[in-house]
Amino acid sequence: MIRRTSLLAAAALALAAPAVAEAASPAPALSAADTELPPLYRAELTEARSFVSEMMAAGVVVPVPEDPGGGYTHEQHKRNYKAIYLAGELYRITGEQAYADYVRDMLLAYAELYPTLGDHPARHNQNPGRLFWQVLNDAVWLVYAVQGYGEIRGTLSEAARERIDDQVFRRAAEFLSVDSRATFDRIHNHATWATAGVGMTGYLLGDEDMVERALLGSDKSGTSGFLRQTELLFSPDGYYAEGPYYQRYALLPFMVFADAIARNDPERRIFEHRDGILLKALYTTVQLTYGGYFFPFNDAMKDKSLRTDELYHGVAIAYERTRDPALLSIAEFQGRTVLSEGGRLVARDLAAGKAKPFPFRSLLLRDGPDGDRGAVAVLRRGGPEHTVLVAKNTSQGMGHGHFDKLSWQLYDNGNEIVRDYGAARFLNIEAKRGGRYLPENESWAKQTIAHNTVAVDMRSHFDGDDELGETIAPEQLYFSDQPGLQVSSARVENVQPGVALQRTLMMADIPGLEEPTVLDLMRAESDASHSYDLPLHYQGHIMELGFPVESHIGARPVLGEDNGYQHIWVDAAAQPEAGDTAMTWLLDGRFYTYRFVTDGSVQAILGESGANDPDFNLRREPMVILRARDKRDHAFVSLLESHGRYDGAAEQTVASRSRVRTMRHDRINGTDVVRLTLADGRRVAIAVSHDTDESARHQVTLDGETLAWTGFAAVIELNAGGAR
Amino acid sequence: MIRRTSLLAAAALALAAPAVAEAASPAPALSAADTELPPLYRAELTEARSFVSEMMAAGVVVPVPEDPGGGYTHEQHKRNYKAIYLAGELYRITGEQAYADYVRDMLLAYAELYPTLGDHPARHNQNPGRLFWQVLNDAVWLVYAVQGYGEIRGTLSEAARERIDDQVFRRAAEFLSVDSRATFDRIHNHATWATAGVGMTGYLLGDEDMVERALLGSDKSGTSGFLRQTELLFSPDGYYAEGPYYQRYALLPFMVFADAIARNDPERRIFEHRDGILLKALYTTVQLTYGGYFFPFNDAMKDKSLRTDELYHGVAIAYERTRDPALLSIAEFQGRTVLSEGGRLVARDLAAGKAKPFPFRSLLLRDGPDGDRGAVAVLRRGGPEHTVLVAKNTSQGMGHGHFDKLSWQLYDNGNEIVRDYGAARFLNIEAKRGGRYLPENESWAKQTIAHNTVAVDMRSHFDGDDELGETIAPEQLYFSDQPGLQVSSARVENVQPGVALQRTLMMADIPGLEEPTVLDLMRAESDASHSYDLPLHYQGHIMELGFPVESHIGARPVLGEDNGYQHIWVDAAAQPEAGDTAMTWLLDGRFYTYRFVTDGSVQAILGESGANDPDFNLRREPMVILRARDKRDHAFVSLLESHGRYDGAAEQTVASRSRVRTMRHDRINGTDVVRLTLADGRRVAIAVSHDTDESARHQVTLDGETLAWTGFAAVIELNAGGAR
């Protein structure tokens, strides 16, 4: 459950925590100067001292690499790079020689180890690391370690410096940029880490060649390397093709290396490069959250929020350059910062009360280097526990992409109401395949049926071929953030050969309904006959079904054999009569009614994830699938209505039932009209012309009533006494 | 999820709320005097004014009763009694005549309606009400309404007073105490509400006969009535036989009527009656919580916490008498109080910073009027997110009791780890059978297999006969709250004919394990052969199974046909080899390993609730059932170990695997010895003599090692090099 309140509470706790940490900490007492530091920075300093003191007390421990992610040697080398980095920072801030000596001794131990290493014994793919099972972790190690080393390198004897330069950093840079050239020259976040580590090493060692290879790729042509990555990995709106989870992860090396470039090569104007893309990417990363948690597009861990090391760095670096007070409120939510000068500024200005709320808003983020590979549409409405509709009309998103063209999510009341499963993975938990992606990530999490979009003929989009998927991007047809009726409309061709999907999602204020209401027009089009399945992965407990079902209460069958269907238990199925029908669920004190129109041939399948999961790798989550069989074109028209309150403490329940009496859909010459009759007799229409000309006038006549409006779509109040 | 943090956060929000309410409220502006009131009291006043103003603006609405719980007329009559009560309080506090007039007009409308009423049309049982579907609600109406009326009665014309006295209150009292005598004379919380309403009406009208019938029962013999209820419904330790959920509910009429008795009949010394049982019951109610939420024994709604109207009254009344600063911290958590003088004192002293932490502690609460009908053992350890083990060794608990002799629960890290299902009910949600108990309350929630105790031959205790259950209470054999090794041991005979259960639950600090560890010795004894099932209803996601399973991954069968088994889907079953084995799950960043000993014949069944549930009335929750077949005596010996941390934000995982390598159980002449070998080679034994003589010395020799200890049980460190 994602709650804005817990977000606030956790921020408060995080701020309260240092007092406890101080009392329990074995770190040296704070100096008088420390106590004049702003609280957030002082807390970081205390925590860093505590951590480094513990590490120093344990002595230098540099084990021969052995374990995969989560295992002892993996975690120890992670602790080590953190200790090198923080001890370096502490030396810079305090001037205490012990920190410099510790970094030196640690790196001398690595100088012993590094030359002895070949491929990591727990390697599992084509890109093995030396210290870690995958090369990516080695790059991360270098990004942190080189920063710590930079702070103390000037204190070393020539012999020690030479030894560490040559046996650790040159070797690590060589490994990343030469031995692992295939990774280094990719346009991919792994390469961003690698180029950042190598480039910063180059600056530190004064090795121009190393810097150039990092910036321009190993052949220095500029077709790969860091600069090219900033051009190809982000869209013009700062959206990162792999999605927010990886955007957050990739951001650290982008920001940290850019900061180093700005200091060492100011004339490169890196932060102005491509219209300020790096800072834009940071702001976009923050916009792609609800309650502080990232929208879990593609392979994403759902527990990932803005409270993450990458963004402590990102916010500090950005704030040092922009002094934007909205960033301070993000730091406040994070309850953390970094020990850099930027971090000190963040802490100082936060303590001075300069924070302003971050301007979360509705926006369209184009995808693709040129902004023409689909988009993410974010429709926001309301206060802190606001409603957010996210339409994922993006491109495939590389190897971590899911087959979910035109899928969507809905957040409301602090919760994810219409869900995205995210990745099937337990990060760093050894018993779960060493913390790697689980087989169910391929067999379930990536598949179309695991998302809120149409699966054709029980197959995934592009038949689950991500290379094919990369060639086909949706087109964002229309976007409006107009208050009262926000709209996203998009289309994608050939999710299966000859099958196009077109979806118009609207968040509308409907007179007579208490909350914004979502209208979903999902249209599948083909010249040939197909079966279309539209799942809704909702969160909540079913309160009421408006249609009779055939229940599988005594033995629970599985919906299919492959493409994710093998993971769906079927609880019940129904074929509601022609007209409209609905189901209502309860979540966290609020009721949600999902209403859909049917011609009488549509099946509704109530299911749950978790079948064919012998290792209990999947979460068990409910869904309803609308199934239209033997159709060429088919329109799924549905309404998601939030209503009422259940208050367990006060034992009060209000409006637990839908306030919509009937819903009707008509399509006339390409225009969609949905008419609602409310429980109180009011009538309202939502008319969609699909005409992006905002000034074009439209008119349709239905059952003797004439509806007129201007532009793409409109909410029109009808005469209560009018035709039903 | 129940979290201590959310508790604090919600308290903060509740305190923050009035500012918003004030801004939005249509109530008159606060007077200068108001602003000098303590914040909590001022907030209540503001909220009461806002509510009553809205009600007054809507006019007097007293509909003819029609709907069941949750329906319109039901909710309107609830709003009305709340308005009568609060308007009376507001009149007393402010002297504003409009409040008195409103109460008068409302009650005159009831005077019109009441004489026309017969049994409620939505009656569903033998105890129909007049205004409400069940007589209980009518009693609640009277308890609130008579208090409001009391505040304004002196302002009325004689005619109005007489009309309201006779047509509303005398009729209501007559209905409750004469027409509904069967309810009135029960020893049951419904009768507490009825006697409170009738007694307070008697005091107000100066009707001594009414008062005496309320205090001594309708025949005034004292074998029933309020005083007898205080003697029979609470144990000497203040435990209420139905469990905490109903204890909380029953407490309001007990406290409010006692307060009235103390004011009108001070010589009765009601608060000293039976060694101060009423105040003791209040404190006990608070002790029966975790994170502010009640242990969900028997028919309990799990969202019920100390934040409930009954306890706002209870705390205020108790504080006015005791001035115990620990009660102030409860009021602080509640973020609410009442408008009485007691409420004002609570708010004043809370604002003055007088609150002290409530002394939550380990304790044994005897059940039964004489304290000899079993007990609840509460074992607590640690700080705010402390670990609590609850052993439910109580008697049946009347009609709302569950068939769960010697069941237990575990809370840790803010969560319920070993769960009790509570009731199958959605309170006040009309679509769920009008908010009544669901059929699944009988078919699942009450059944033995839905609890953490042994079901014999796939049947529930006492074959689900609560009258039989009432005749058989467990015996608490031993209890110790000694730090380092807390113990509860209890026995019950004849849960099925000729089958006894004896269970010793221990919360032990084991050297080498990071958290307190639970050892469970559950022994079933019989002269005949039986099948014994011991479920563990855990909460979390399975990380690792230490034994091979046969999975039902392609079609999910149901475990049985009745007694709750019909609601269990079977995911997998196993028959682990002789020795010990374990399973590990993850919940909220902490790992839990359940380890058990087997002779090779015990089956482990992994299941989930939710089968045979066509209306989606059940929550779907996992369980593991240990099944021993064809046994006379059988000991289930298991260990629940909490370990490690998963931090999704920091992407850190530590100790995700059990730190116990092996567990072995021996029973020698009635003494149980469990020996553990830890992953680091350490060895430790937990020896249980079952001898309640604290000074008796015991000794056993196992594999050449001699173990010696004193008293009931001990944790003994063994030589690491000793026998395995």
Side-chain angles (χ1 to χ4, degrees):
Chain A
M1 191 172 61
I2 297 165
R3 294 189 60 83
R4 181 74 182 175
T5 47
S6 73
L7 179 161
L8 296 168
L13 288 172
L15 289 169
V20 177
E22 254 174 69
S25 154
L30 291 172
S31 73
D34 283 353
T35 62
E36 285 158 29
L37 293 170
L40 192 59
Y41 194 77
R42 191 166 72 235
E44 290 297 334
L45 204 54
T46 305
E47 192 165 317
R49 280 182 155 166
S50 168
F51 174 75
V52 174
S53 293
E54 266 180 49
M55 289 293 287
M56 287 167 74
V60 169
V61 179
V62 178
V64 173
E66 182 179 334
D67 305 321
Y72 165 71
T73 69
H74 181 95
E75 294 301 323
Q76 182 62 29
H77 287 294
K78 279 173 71 179
R79 277 189 290 276
N80 283 352
Y81 73 62
K82 189 177 159 194
I84 293 166
Y85 169 72
L86 288 175
E89 291 283 73
L90 288 171
Y91 175 71
R92 176 178 56 78
I93 295 164
T94 67
E96 291 172 30
Q97 187 60 34
Y99 292 126
D101 293 348
Y102 172 68
V103 174
R104 179 198 62 208
D105 293 347
M106 176 80 87
L107 289 171
L108 285 171
Y110 274 100
E112 286 292 322
L113 175 70
Y114 208 96
T116 70
L117 299 178
D119 283 350
H120 192 281
R123 59 177 296 178
H124 78 294
N125 64 17
Q126 297 311 307
N127 306 307
R130 291 272 150 93
L131 295 169
F132 298 92
W133 63 332
Q134 55 179 356
V135 65
L136 169 62
N137 299 104
D138 276 61
V140 174
W141 186 95
L142 183 59
V143 166
Y144 281 91
V146 73
Q147 292 182 76
Y149 181 46
E151 301 296 348
I152 67 107
R153 187 165 174 269
T155 71
L156 297 183
S157 69
E158 197 168 325
R161 186 164 67 234
E162 202 174 293
R163 186 158 168 72
I164 293 170
D165 282 0
D166 294 349
Q167 302 306 317
V168 182
F169 288 96
R170 282 193 198 280
R171 278 181 184 268
E174 177 87 1
F175 169 64
L176 291 174
S177 62
V178 179
D179 303 349
S180 309
R181 180 177 299 162
T183 299
F184 189 78
D185 284 341
R186 288 177 72 190
I187 300 298
H188 188 278
N189 84 70
H190 289 197
T192 310
W193 284 94
T195 55
V198 170
M200 290 163 75
T201 302
Y203 282 127
L204 182 64
L205 305 188
D207 186 327
E208 188 62 31
D209 171 67
M210 222 183 261
V211 171
E212 282 191 11
R213 282 185 291 128
L215 291 173
L216 303 170
S218 56
D219 67 358
K220 302 187 186 176
S221 70
T223 55
S224 67
F226 185 78
L227 295 177
R228 196 66 187 140
Q229 291 164 23
T230 68
E231 288 154 7
L232 293 181
L233 285 176
F234 296 108
S235 82
D237 295 323
Y239 179 75
Y240 182 79
E242 290 187 289
Y245 176 76
Y246 278 95
Q247 173 143 358
R248 169 276 318 171
Y249 185 63
L251 207 62
L252 187 134
F254 273 116
M255 296 297 283
V256 168
F257 188 25
D259 199 45
I261 296 168
R263 291 176 204 279
N264 287 279
D265 274 345
E267 71 284 358
R268 282 198 184 271
R269 299 174 167 278
I270 182 70
F271 281 106
E272 286 149 61
H273 186 61
R274 201 183 168 212
D275 198 21
I277 191 67
L278 290 178
L279 292 174
K280 201 180 278 180
L282 176 85
Y283 280 83
T284 293
T285 307
V286 177
Q287 290 283 1
L288 293 170
T289 60
Y290 182 79
Y293 285 78
F294 293 108
F295 303 146
F297 295 174
N298 299 330
D299 283 347
M301 304 302 302
K302 296 187 82 166
D303 52 12
K304 205 71 194 175
S305 74
L306 294 168
R307 277 192 216 97
T308 178
D309 194 48
E310 296 87 2
L311 287 177
Y312 308 149
H313 287 272
V315 166
I317 291 168
Y319 186 72
E320 190 174 357
R321 295 193 177 266
T322 64
R323 306 293 165 103
D324 175 359
L327 293 173
L328 298 177
S329 73
I330 300 304
E332 190 167 27
F333 166 66
Q334 294 174 324
R336 295 289 305 273
T337 188
V338 291
L339 290 177
S340 68
E341 181 58 17
R344 200 186 57 79
L345 290 173
V346 164
R348 185 196 68 186
D349 292 355
L350 191 55
K354 293 187 182 170
K356 294 239 164 69
F358 190 87
F360 288 105
R361 61 187 176 88
S362 296
L363 39 73
L364 183 71
L365 299 168
R366 290 167 294 165
D367 189 13
D370 299 317
D372 57 0
R373 311 262 307 144
V376 178
V378 181
L379 309 181
R380 291 185 187 261
R381 186 182 177 289
E385 302 220 325
H386 53 254
T387 308
V388 179
L389 186 159
V390 187
K392 183 174 183 277
N393 305 325
T394 61
S395 67
Q396 183 64 28
M398 301 191 274
H400 290 297
H402 288 192
F403 299 95
D404 62 350
K405 296 303 98 179
L406 311 195
S407 186
W408 70 297
Q409 285 176 262
L410 184 74
Y411 295 89
D412 181 58
N413 190 32
N415 298 298
E416 192 185 7
I417 308 303
V418 176
R419 303 201 263 206
D420 189 301
Y421 190 89
R425 180 183 193 183
F426 292 90
L427 200 62
N428 287 333
I429 295 183
E430 222 178 318
K432 290 295 192 189
R433 305 234 170 180
R436 295 192 288 271
Y437 287 103
L438 295 165
E440 290 76 11
N441 195 54
E442 296 294 323
S443 65
W444 171 252
K446 282 189 171 179
Q447 300 293 333
T448 300
I449 197 67
H451 297 84
N452 303 296
T453 186
V454 166
V456 181
D457 299 331
M458 297 181 73
R459 307 174 79 93
S460 281
H461 295 168
F462 319 125
D463 268 334
D465 176 345
D466 61 346
E467 291 184 14
L468 174 60
E470 286 294 348
T471 68
I472 299 173
E475 182 187 0
Q476 183 77 30
L477 301 173
Y478 181 73
F479 173 80
S480 170
D481 59 1
Q482 200 69 31
L485 183 62
Q486 302 191 59
V487 183
S488 164
S489 186
R491 182 178 177 89
V492 61
E493 309 290 338
N494 292 312
V495 291
Q496 282 285 323
V499 182
L501 302 179
Q502 183 163 331
R503 181 173 233 169
T504 304
L505 282 158
M506 285 168 279
M507 190 152 71
D509 293 358
I510 307 277
L513 299 185
E514 53 186 313
E515 305 285 343
T517 301
V518 175
L519 181 63
D520 176 19
L521 305 177
M522 170 57 115
R523 195 172 167 76
E525 295 175 7
S526 178
D527 291 335
S529 191
H530 293 283
S531 163
Y532 299 118
D533 285 349
L534 177 61
L536 188 84
H537 296 269
Y538 64 93
Q539 184 177 189
H541 192 129
I542 291 177
M543 289 293 110
E544 193 166 16
L545 296 174
F547 44 87
V549 296
E550 192 183 328
S551 290
H552 300 293
I553 55 176
R556 212 176 182 196
V558 172
L559 187 57
E561 294 185 356
D562 49 16
N563 305 320
Y565 285 82
Q566 74 275 27
H567 290 301
I568 301 174
W569 293 120
V570 180
D571 284 310
Q575 188 159 333
E577 289 176 15
D580 71 296
T581 186
M583 59 186 279
T584 298
W585 65 86
L586 171 66
L587 180 70
D588 191 19
R590 193 170 292 189
F591 298 90
Y592 298 88
T593 293
Y594 181 58
R595 180 175 300 278
F596 55 93
V597 170
T598 169
D599 60 4
S601 76
V602 173
Q603 280 191 312
I605 299 164
L606 298 168
E608 192 181 68
S609 56
N612 279 296
D613 177 26
D615 298 327
F616 296 88
N617 283 342
L618 292 175
R619 295 191 305 272
R620 291 157 178 209
E621 299 182 342
M623 72 199 77
V624 53
I625 299 171
L626 304 184
R627 172 169 288 180
R629 285 160 303 181
D630 303 324
K631 303 277 185 183
R632 291 164 191 266
D633 293 357
H634 183 78
F636 291 99
V637 176
S638 59
L639 189 82
L640 186 55
E641 176 196 357
S642 159
H643 54 95
R645 291 287 182 287
Y646 167 76
D647 180 343
E651 300 190 358
Q652 287 279 358
T653 302
V654 294
S656 61
R657 287 185 148 149
S658 167
R659 301 177 84 157
V660 176
R661 195 191 298 154
T662 62
M663 173 165 75
R664 183 166 167 178
H665 171 246
D666 294 277
R667 187 168 168 91
I668 301 157
N669 300 330
T671 289
D672 286 293
V673 179
V674 172
R675 285 176 294 171
L676 305 177
T677 302
L678 307 191
D680 63 7
R682 286 203 238 196
R683 296 173 59 246
V684 65
I686 301 160
V688 185
S689 69
H690 299 284
D691 180 350
T692 58
D693 178 351
E694 298 285 11
S695 60
R697 296 183 178 198
H698 304 279
Q699 183 172 312
V700 294
T701 300
L702 278 167
D703 301 326
E705 267 179 317
T706 297
L707 281 59
W709 73 99
T710 304
F712 192 93
V715 176
I716 304 167
E717 290 193 69
L718 302 177
N719 204 321
R724 194 182 154 262
Chain B
M1 191 173 61
I2 297 164
R3 292 191 61 84
R4 180 76 183 173
T5 48
S6 73
L7 178 162
L8 295 168
L13 288 172
L15 289 169
V20 177
E22 254 174 69
S25 155
L30 290 173
S31 73
D34 283 355
T35 62
E36 284 157 30
L37 293 169
L40 193 59
Y41 193 78
R42 191 167 72 235
E44 290 297 333
L45 204 55
T46 305
E47 193 165 316
R49 281 183 153 164
S50 167
F51 173 76
V52 174
S53 294
E54 266 180 50
M55 290 293 289
M56 287 167 73
V60 168
V61 180
V62 178
V64 174
E66 183 179 333
D67 304 322
Y72 166 70
T73 69
H74 181 94
E75 294 301 323
Q76 182 61 30
H77 287 293
K78 280 174 71 178
R79 276 189 289 276
N80 283 351
Y81 74 62
K82 189 177 160 193
I84 294 168
Y85 169 73
L86 288 175
E89 290 284 73
L90 288 171
Y91 175 71
R92 176 177 58 76
I93 296 164
T94 67
E96 291 171 29
Q97 186 61 35
Y99 292 126
D101 293 348
Y102 172 68
V103 174
R104 178 197 62 206
D105 293 347
M106 177 80 86
L107 289 173
L108 285 171
Y110 274 100
E112 286 292 324
L113 175 70
Y114 208 95
T116 71
L117 299 179
D119 282 351
H120 192 281
R123 59 177 296 179
H124 77 295
N125 64 18
Q126 297 312 306
N127 306 306
R130 291 271 150 94
L131 294 169
F132 297 92
W133 63 332
Q134 55 179 357
V135 65
L136 169 63
N137 298 105
D138 276 62
V140 173
W141 187 95
L142 184 58
V143 167
Y144 281 91
V146 73
Q147 293 182 77
Y149 183 44
E151 301 296 350
I152 66 108
R153 188 165 175 269
T155 70
L156 298 182
S157 69
E158 198 168 324
R161 186 165 65 233
E162 201 174 291
R163 183 157 170 72
I164 293 171
D165 282 0
D166 294 349
Q167 301 305 318
V168 181
F169 288 96
R170 282 193 198 282
R171 279 181 183 269
E174 176 86 1
F175 169 65
L176 291 173
S177 62
V178 179
D179 303 350
S180 309
R181 181 177 299 162
T183 299
F184 191 77
D185 284 341
R186 287 176 73 190
I187 300 297
H188 187 278
N189 84 70
H190 289 199
T192 310
W193 284 94
T195 54
V198 170
M200 290 163 74
T201 301
Y203 281 128
L204 182 64
L205 306 188
D207 186 328
E208 188 63 30
D209 170 66
M210 222 182 261
V211 171
E212 282 190 11
R213 283 185 291 128
L215 291 174
L216 302 171
S218 57
D219 67 358
K220 303 187 187 176
S221 71
T223 55
S224 66
F226 185 78
L227 294 178
R228 197 66 187 139
Q229 289 165 24
T230 69
E231 288 154 9
L232 293 180
L233 284 176
F234 296 108
S235 81
D237 295 323
Y239 179 75
Y240 182 79
E242 290 188 291
Y245 176 75
Y246 279 95
Q247 172 144 0
R248 171 274 318 170
Y249 186 62
L251 207 63
L252 187 134
F254 273 116
M255 295 298 283
V256 168
F257 188 25
D259 199 46
I261 296 169
R263 290 177 204 280
N264 287 281
D265 275 345
E267 72 284 359
R268 283 198 184 270
R269 298 176 168 278
I270 182 69
F271 280 107
E272 286 149 61
H273 186 61
R274 202 183 168 214
D275 198 21
I277 190 67
L278 290 177
L279 291 174
K280 201 180 280 181
L282 177 84
Y283 280 84
T284 293
T285 306
V286 178
Q287 290 284 1
L288 292 169
T289 60
Y290 182 80
Y293 286 78
F294 293 108
F295 304 145
F297 294 174
N298 299 329
D299 283 347
M301 304 302 302
K302 296 188 81 165
D303 52 12
K304 205 71 194 173
S305 74
L306 293 169
R307 278 192 215 97
T308 178
D309 194 49
E310 297 87 2
L311 287 177
Y312 307 149
H313 287 272
V315 166
I317 291 169
Y319 187 71
E320 190 175 359
R321 299 197 172 265
T322 64
R323 307 293 165 102
D324 176 358
L327 293 174
L328 297 177
S329 72
I330 300 304
E332 190 166 27
F333 166 67
Q334 294 174 324
R336 295 288 306 273
T337 189
V338 291
L339 289 178
S340 68
E341 181 57 17
R344 202 186 55 79
L345 289 174
V346 164
R348 185 195 67 184
D349 291 356
L350 191 56
K354 293 187 183 172
K356 293 239 163 69
F358 191 86
F360 288 103
R361 60 187 176 87
S362 296
L363 38 72
L364 183 71
L365 299 168
R366 291 167 294 166
D367 189 13
D370 300 316
D372 58 359
R373 311 261 308 145
V376 179
V378 181
L379 309 181
R380 291 185 187 261
R381 186 182 177 289
E385 302 220 325
H386 53 254
T387 308
V388 179
L389 186 160
V390 187
K392 183 173 184 277
N393 305 325
T394 61
S395 66
Q396 183 63 29
M398 302 191 274
H400 290 297
H402 288 191
F403 298 96
D404 61 350
K405 297 301 100 181
L406 311 194
S407 186
W408 70 296
Q409 286 175 261
L410 184 73
Y411 295 90
D412 181 58
N413 190 33
N415 299 299
E416 192 185 8
I417 308 304
V418 176
R419 303 201 263 205
D420 189 300
Y421 190 89
R425 181 182 192 184
F426 292 91
L427 201 61
N428 288 333
I429 295 183
E430 222 177 318
K432 290 294 193 190
R433 305 235 170 180
R436 296 194 287 271
Y437 286 104
L438 295 164
E440 290 76 10
N441 195 54
E442 296 294 324
S443 65
W444 170 252
K446 282 189 172 179
Q447 300 293 332
T448 301
I449 197 68
H451 298 85
N452 303 298
T453 186
V454 166
V456 181
D457 298 331
M458 297 181 73
R459 307 174 79 93
S460 281
H461 296 169
F462 320 125
D463 268 334
D465 177 345
D466 60 347
E467 291 184 15
L468 174 59
E470 286 294 347
T471 68
I472 298 172
E475 181 186 0
Q476 182 78 29
L477 301 173
Y478 181 74
F479 173 80
S480 171
D481 59 1
Q482 200 69 32
L485 183 61
Q486 302 192 60
V487 183
S488 164
S489 185
R491 182 178 177 89
V492 61
E493 308 291 338
N494 293 313
V495 292
Q496 281 285 322
V499 182
L501 302 179
Q502 184 164 331
R503 182 173 232 170
T504 303
L505 283 158
M506 286 167 279
M507 191 153 70
D509 293 358
I510 307 277
L513 300 185
E514 52 187 313
E515 305 285 344
T517 302
V518 175
L519 181 63
D520 176 21
L521 305 177
M522 170 57 115
R523 196 172 166 77
E525 295 175 7
S526 177
D527 291 336
S529 191
H530 294 282
S531 164
Y532 299 118
D533 285 349
L534 177 62
L536 188 84
H537 297 268
Y538 64 92
Q539 184 176 191
H541 193 128
I542 291 177
M543 290 293 110
E544 193 167 16
L545 297 174
F547 43 88
V549 297
E550 193 183 327
S551 290
H552 300 295
I553 55 176
R556 213 177 182 195
V558 172
L559 188 57
E561 295 185 354
D562 49 17
N563 305 318
Y565 285 81
Q566 74 275 28
H567 291 301
I568 302 174
W569 294 119
V570 180
D571 284 311
Q575 188 160 333
E577 289 175 16
D580 70 295
T581 187
M583 59 186 279
T584 298
W585 65 87
L586 170 66
L587 180 69
D588 190 20
R590 193 169 292 190
F591 298 90
Y592 298 89
T593 293
Y594 181 58
R595 180 176 300 276
F596 55 93
V597 170
T598 169
D599 60 4
S601 76
V602 173
Q603 280 190 313
I605 299 163
L606 297 167
E608 192 181 68
S609 55
N612 280 296
D613 176 27
D615 298 327
F616 296 88
N617 284 341
L618 292 176
R619 295 191 304 272
R620 291 157 178 209
E621 300 182 341
M623 72 198 77
V624 53
I625 299 171
L626 303 184
R627 171 169 287 180
R629 287 160 301 181
D630 303 324
K631 302 278 185 184
R632 291 163 192 265
D633 294 356
H634 183 78
F636 292 99
V637 176
S638 59
L639 189 82
L640 187 55
E641 177 196 357
S642 159
H643 54 95
R645 291 288 181 287
Y646 167 76
D647 180 343
E651 300 190 358
Q652 288 279 359
T653 303
V654 293
S656 61
R657 286 186 149 149
S658 168
R659 300 176 87 155
V660 177
R661 195 191 298 155
T662 63
M663 173 166 73
R664 186 167 165 176
H665 170 246
D666 294 278
R667 187 167 168 93
I668 301 156
N669 301 329
T671 289
D672 286 293
V673 178
V674 173
R675 285 177 295 172
L676 305 176
T677 302
L678 307 191
D680 62 7
R682 286 205 238 196
R683 295 173 60 246
V684 65
I686 301 159
V688 185
S689 68
H690 299 283
D691 180 351
T692 58
D693 178 351
E694 299 285 10
S695 60
R697 296 185 177 195
H698 304 278
Q699 184 171 312
V700 296
T701 300
L702 279 167
D703 301 328
E705 267 180 316
T706 297
L707 281 58
W709 73 99
T710 304
F712 191 93
V715 176
I716 304 167
E717 290 192 69
L718 302 178
N719 202 319
R724 196 184 150 259

